[in-house]
């Protein structure tokens, strides 16, 4: 793949991640919000086959809450209960802790109203329908009121109303009182919601919503509008005048510095909100910044190279071709090792497959022209050979025996030696050809980093969970991290440069690989030139297309026994390497967001 296509793909990925981030953080207004005359914002999440089309709540400061849920049920005869749950105790009577009392349920026509209290007692609120008590008792959960429809609801629209009296914790000092009411946190998606807080005595000093929603005053009403995805937090936190303690029938608690603690909790809850515009700008500008970096530091000279080449571009060691010219210049793959074995066989330093297709025999001769990697390979093979013969099958059996004997020290030592030839790294050799900028160029293995990066992101999302969902700044930071990771995992020469005219050679090796990977093209060549086919097999293996060359040789009846030998040797070698993996035993009512009393929400079952 040429450089322009690579950088285009990278810029496209970064742009798509950025668009998703702007969408999730509300940075694309025409996608996130309806026209200005609309009174509410609608959720853009998947609503499923049943959702709350609209939720209307009227909250009075004496604790009375009147709710109306309008359900849209698209699945016919699937559900039989509409309900409203709480995480505070739903009881009859009075207790010395925050609780909820039910005043009324107005069910859809034909449905049976009920309540299941915190002590699991069930009460059917319609005298004529008391015969359904057993079914309701088995289906309903604690702290729940709702409506039961014995025949199951046909698809359609249904409304249910509730009246509750909330007895919350009320924190007060001499100057202020504080009430944090969590209305919902486990519920169906609310496509639109309106919360009206009635404040005829003008007791509310400041009002905060979690997450932040649109709110304004209309006379003695505070009106909150918005939407909520499934299980989204809906919480209202109020800073009140001290006279609220005479109005709210709650559980009083003396707390000092109410004003400062309330405001401080909002700063923590909305941490990063001041930075949100900056973070959105960085997300949006990231693709442009990437283009600038590429033009300044990564763009190569233009060379005209044929799409396919049948001749070897340069006489280089196959392992070097694999490491520098196959993919990323810093990335060595096992194919480089396999190609090296074929090359050493051709140079008569070793012999493959003479007596067994899993053995390597060392031949007498001059080793003076061997480079560093070739010496590493031969030293390993010699150290694990008998009578100048290395057996890949024997290596595999040795690893299995070490595993059975729990000799972890020897097994780790052997694995480290195998890594030295299968995952070889020679930064000095690479620097002769290219100056890269990526994780690989800084000595990090991107293949080993991908899974840790994914797990880190998943753990952060799991731990922060709802905080991320309700905090656009946190989402923007996560998106910036994803964009940066995409760039960091890109080929090291994409934002770096090839030295001298080595980029031309890189294109030539790509063209040679294109030729070797085209079965129809290579079959046109004569079967008589055995040396040419051996060269093609060596460099085709180094470039990752050796299988195509082998297939053509088989069809043309070209006998190269070392091809089958190296294939079997490498299979046993990979099995031994996998078996050498170490055992797993060797590896070492508060303030602010979510602190309110209440919870639960509208559901269906």
């Amino acid at each position: 793949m040429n450089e322009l296509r690579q950088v285009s793909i990278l810029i496209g990925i970064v742009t798509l991640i950025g668009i998703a981030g702007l969408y999730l953080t509300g940075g694309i207004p025409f996608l996130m919000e309806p026209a200005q005359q609309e009174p509410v914002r609608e959720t853009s999440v998947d609503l499923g086959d049943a959702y709350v089309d609209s939720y209307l709540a009227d909250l009075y400061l004496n604790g009375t809450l009147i709710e109306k849920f309008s359900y849209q049920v698209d699945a016919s005869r699937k559900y039989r209960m509409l309900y409203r749950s709480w995480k505070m105790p739903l009881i009859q009577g009075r207790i010395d802790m925050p609780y909820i009392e039910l005043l009324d349920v107005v069910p859809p026509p034909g449905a049976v109203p009920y309540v299941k209290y915190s002590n699991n007692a069930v009460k059917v609120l319609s005298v004529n329908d008391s015969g359904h008590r057993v079914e309701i008792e088995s289906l309903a959960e604690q702290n729940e009121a709702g409506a039961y429809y014995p025949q199951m609801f046909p698809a359609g629209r249904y409304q249910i109303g509730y009246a509750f009296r909330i007895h919350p914790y009320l924190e007060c000092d001499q100057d202020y009182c504080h009430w944090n009411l969590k209305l919902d946190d486990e519920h169906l998606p609310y496509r639109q919601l309106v919360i009206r807080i009635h404040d005829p005595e003008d007791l509310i000093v400041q009002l905060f919503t979690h997450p932040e929603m649109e709110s304004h005053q209309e006379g003695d009403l505070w009106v909150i509008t918005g939407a909520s995805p499934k299980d989204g937090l809906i919480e209202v936190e109020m800073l009140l005048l001290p006279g609220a303690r005479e109005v709210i029938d709650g559980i009083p608690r003396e707390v000092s510095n109410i004003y400062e603690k309330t405001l401080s909790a909002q700063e923590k809850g909305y941490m990063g909100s001041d930075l949100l515009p900056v973070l959105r700008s960085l997300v949006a500008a990231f693709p442009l910044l990437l283009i600038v970096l590429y033009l300044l530091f990564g763009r190569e000279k233009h060379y005209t190279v044929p799409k396919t080449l049948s001749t070897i571009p340069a006489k280089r060691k196959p392992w070097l071709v694999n490491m520098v010219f196959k993919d990323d210049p810093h990335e060595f793959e096992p194919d480089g090792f396999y190609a090296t074995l074929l090359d050493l066989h051709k140079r008569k330093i070793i012999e493959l497959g003479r007596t067994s297709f899993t053995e390597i025999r060392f031949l007498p001769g001059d080793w003076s022209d061997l480079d560093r990697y070739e010496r590493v390979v031969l030293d390993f093979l010699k150290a694990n050979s008998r009578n100048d013969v290395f057996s890949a099958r024997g290596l595999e059996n040795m690893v299995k025996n070490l595993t059975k004997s729990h000799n972890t020290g020897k097994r780790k030592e052997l694995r480290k030696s195998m890594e030295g030839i299968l995952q070889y790294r020679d930064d000095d050799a690479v620097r002769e050809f290219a100056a890269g900028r990526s994780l690989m160029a800084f000595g990090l293995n991107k293949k080993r980093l991908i899974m840790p990066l994914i797990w880190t992101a998943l753990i952060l999302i799991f731990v922060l969970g709802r905080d991320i969902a309700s905090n656009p700044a946190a989402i923007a930071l996560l998106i910036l991290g994803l964009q940066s990771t995409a760039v960091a995992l890109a080929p090291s020469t994409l934002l770096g440069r090839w030295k001298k005219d080595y980029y031309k050679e890189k294109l030539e090796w790509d063209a040679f690989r294109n030729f070797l990977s085209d079965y129809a093209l290579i079959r046109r060549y004569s079967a008589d030139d055995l040396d040419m086919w051996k060269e093609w097999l060596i460099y085709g293996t180094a470039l990752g297309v050796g299988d195509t060359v082998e297939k053509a040789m088989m069809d043309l009846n070209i006998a190269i026994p070392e091809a089958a030998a190296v294939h079997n040797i490498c299979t046993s070698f990979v099995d031994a390497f996998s078996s050498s993996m170490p055992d797993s035993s060797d590896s070492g009512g508060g303030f602010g967001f979510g602190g309110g009393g209440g919870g639960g929400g509208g559901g269906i079952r």
Side-chain angles (χ1 to χ4, degrees):
M1 186 183 300
N2 64 40
E3 182 188 55
L4 187 58
R5 183 176 295 179
Q6 284 181 331
V7 78
S8 298
I9 291 173
L10 178 61
I11 291 170
I13 291 172
V14 168
T15 301
L16 288 174
I17 293 172
I19 290 172
L22 292 174
Y23 176 76
L24 292 172
T25 60
I28 309 179
F30 63 89
L31 288 178
M32 290 300 297
E33 298 179 10
Q36 290 184 354
Q37 66 268 22
E38 296 282 339
V40 296
R41 290 182 297 178
E42 299 185 358
T43 182
S44 58
V45 298
D46 181 17
L47 296 171
D49 59 14
Y51 59 91
V52 176
D53 186 64
S54 66
Y55 167 71
L56 174 64
D58 283 279
L59 176 65
Y60 299 84
L61 292 186
N62 65 357
T64 301
L65 175 66
I66 310 296
E67 295 179 306
K68 184 170 76 173
F69 292 83
S70 294
Y71 285 81
Q72 180 62 43
V73 179
D74 294 332
S76 188
R77 307 297 178 183
K78 180 179 179 180
Y79 303 105
R80 70 179 73 209
M81 298 180 86
L82 307 177
Y83 63 86
R84 205 283 187 229
S85 64
W86 289 97
K87 291 185 176 178
M88 284 170 61
L90 184 59
I91 68 166
Q92 291 177 301
R94 188 175 180 89
I95 57 176
D96 294 330
M97 61 180 294
Y99 67 97
I100 309 280
E101 60 176 311
L102 176 69
L103 303 179
D104 195 13
V105 177
V106 182
V112 181
Y114 71 89
V115 58
K116 188 170 187 178
Y117 295 107
S118 61
N119 62 357
N120 288 317
V122 171
K123 182 178 181 181
V124 176
L125 304 177
S126 171
V127 176
N128 296 331
D129 297 307
S130 58
H132 295 291
R133 184 179 178 280
V134 174
E135 296 101 306
I136 293 172
E137 189 172 32
S138 66
L139 294 171
E141 297 183 358
Q142 277 183 315
N143 304 314
E144 176 182 299
Y148 170 71
Y149 196 77
Q151 295 82 21
M152 294 193 173
F153 291 102
R157 189 178 178 89
Y158 300 91
Q159 289 189 350
I160 183 169
Y162 303 94
F164 298 99
R165 179 67 57 80
I166 302 170
H167 302 271
Y169 273 130
L170 185 65
E171 293 100 353
C172 294
D173 60 16
Q174 291 183 346
D175 301 311
Y176 296 98
C177 286
H178 168 266
W179 180 12
N180 194 1
L181 173 62
K182 185 190 298 182
L183 284 168
D184 303 86
D185 64 353
E186 288 186 10
H187 56 85
L188 290 172
Y190 293 177
R191 193 181 67 86
Q192 54 187 16
L193 64 87
V194 178
I195 302 168
R196 299 184 298 204
I197 303 176
H198 298 256
D199 183 23
E201 299 180 38
D202 201 22
L203 293 173
I204 298 177
V205 178
Q206 283 184 266
L207 182 142
F208 309 94
T209 58
H210 309 148
E212 190 173 7
M213 291 180 280
E214 294 179 5
S215 63
H216 63 278
Q217 278 189 275
E218 296 177 2
D220 62 358
L221 285 179
W222 292 76
V223 182
I224 301 163
T225 59
S228 182
K230 185 177 185 295
D231 296 337
L233 176 66
I234 304 174
E235 188 172 64
V236 179
E237 189 165 5
M238 291 165 279
L239 187 65
L240 304 143
L241 293 176
R245 71 178 80 207
E246 306 300 328
V247 176
I248 300 172
D249 186 11
I251 311 299
R253 295 195 297 187
E254 291 296 322
V255 177
S256 61
N257 301 319
I258 290 290
Y259 184 84
E260 289 80 5
K261 287 179 179 177
T262 302
L263 296 188
S264 175
Q266 309 319 307
E267 291 173 3
K268 292 177 182 177
Y270 292 111
M271 188 175 295
S273 59
D274 293 340
L275 291 175
L276 182 58
V278 176
L279 294 173
R280 282 176 178 160
S281 300
L282 289 174
V283 168
F286 206 102
L288 298 176
L289 177 63
L290 183 57
I291 293 172
V292 172
L293 289 174
Y294 168 71
L295 294 175
L296 289 176
F297 304 109
R299 184 168 53 175
E300 303 289 347
K301 296 177 185 178
H302 177 72
Y303 295 97
T304 301
V305 174
K307 186 177 180 181
T308 61
L309 279 176
S310 61
T311 57
I312 297 170
K315 189 63 178 175
R316 299 196 183 279
K317 294 295 180 68
W319 69 266
L320 189 65
V321 172
N322 175 271
M323 184 165 68
V324 176
F325 296 105
K326 181 178 182 289
D327 290 315
D328 192 290
H330 290 271
E331 189 170 8
F332 184 82
E333 296 180 348
D335 285 336
F337 167 61
Y338 309 151
T340 296
L341 293 181
L342 289 169
D343 185 52
L344 293 173
H345 174 89
K346 183 175 180 294
R347 289 156 54 192
K348 297 187 175 5
I349 295 172
I350 61 174
E351 186 177 43
L352 300 173
R354 180 181 178 185
T355 58
S356 168
F357 276 178
T358 62
E359 290 184 350
I360 301 173
R361 185 176 299 276
F362 300 94
L363 302 177
D366 184 13
W367 287 18
S368 60
D369 65 336
L370 296 178
D371 60 29
R372 183 162 51 186
Y373 176 68
E374 291 169 336
R375 289 186 179 278
V376 170
V377 170
L378 289 173
D379 287 345
F380 176 84
L381 299 178
K382 277 271 191 183
N384 293 280
S385 65
R386 287 186 179 181
N387 300 322
D388 281 340
V389 175
F390 170 84
S391 170
R393 190 70 54 75
L395 177 69
E396 188 179 356
N397 292 333
M398 180 173 66
V399 172
K400 290 178 180 178
N401 290 333
L402 288 173
T403 303
K404 290 179 181 177
S405 65
H406 302 290
N407 191 339
T408 55
K410 178 66 174 175
R411 185 153 47 106
K412 287 180 179 179
E413 182 182 339
L414 183 61
R415 179 176 176 81
K416 185 176 180 181
S417 298
M418 296 174 75
E419 284 179 345
I421 57 178
L422 292 177
Q423 300 172 358
Y424 183 67
R425 186 177 180 91
D426 190 338
D427 291 334
D428 291 336
V430 173
R431 290 190 192 102
E432 178 187 342
F433 298 92
R437 292 179 177 88
S438 77
L439 291 177
M440 294 293 291
F442 290 105
L444 299 173
N445 189 321
K446 66 184 179 185
K447 288 184 177 178
R448 292 182 178 180
L449 283 172
I450 288 175
M451 286 310 298
L453 285 171
I454 292 173
W455 279 110
T456 300
L458 290 175
I459 289 170
L460 282 173
I461 291 171
F462 177 77
V463 171
L464 298 177
R466 200 166 287 162
D467 291 339
I468 284 183
S470 60
N471 192 333
I475 295 175
L477 279 173
L478 185 61
I479 293 298
L480 278 173
L482 290 174
Q483 289 177 311
S484 301
T485 300
V487 174
L489 296 177
S492 60
T493 52
L494 211 55
L495 297 179
R497 283 205 174 102
W498 291 85
K499 297 179 180 179
K500 301 178 182 179
D501 289 329
Y502 290 128
Y503 181 60
K504 180 174 181 290
E505 185 178 337
K506 159 67 175 171
L507 296 177
E508 290 171 344
W509 282 109
D510 288 344
F512 183 57
R513 178 166 56 181
N514 291 338
F515 166 76
L516 293 180
S517 61
D518 192 323
Y519 176 76
L521 276 180
I522 59 177
R523 277 210 61 182
R524 296 176 186 174
Y525 285 77
S526 169
D528 297 332
D529 193 345
L530 198 60
D531 283 342
M532 178 190 72
W533 283 96
K534 286 184 177 181
E535 292 273 302
W536 283 0
L537 178 62
I538 292 169
Y539 287 102
T541 301
L543 293 168
V545 292
D547 289 344
T548 307
V549 181
E550 276 192 71
K551 185 177 186 302
M553 290 191 309
M554 290 176 61
D555 291 346
L556 294 171
N557 293 318
I558 300 173
I560 302 182
E562 61 266 29
V566 80
H567 190 79
N568 285 292
I569 289 168
C570 294
T571 299
S572 291
F573 213 92
V574 168
D575 290 343
F577 185 66
S578 301
S579 299
S580 67
M581 287 289 289
D583 299 327
S584 59
S585 59
D586 296 338
S587 306
F591 294 82
F593 275 72
I604 190 170
R605 71 170 64 89

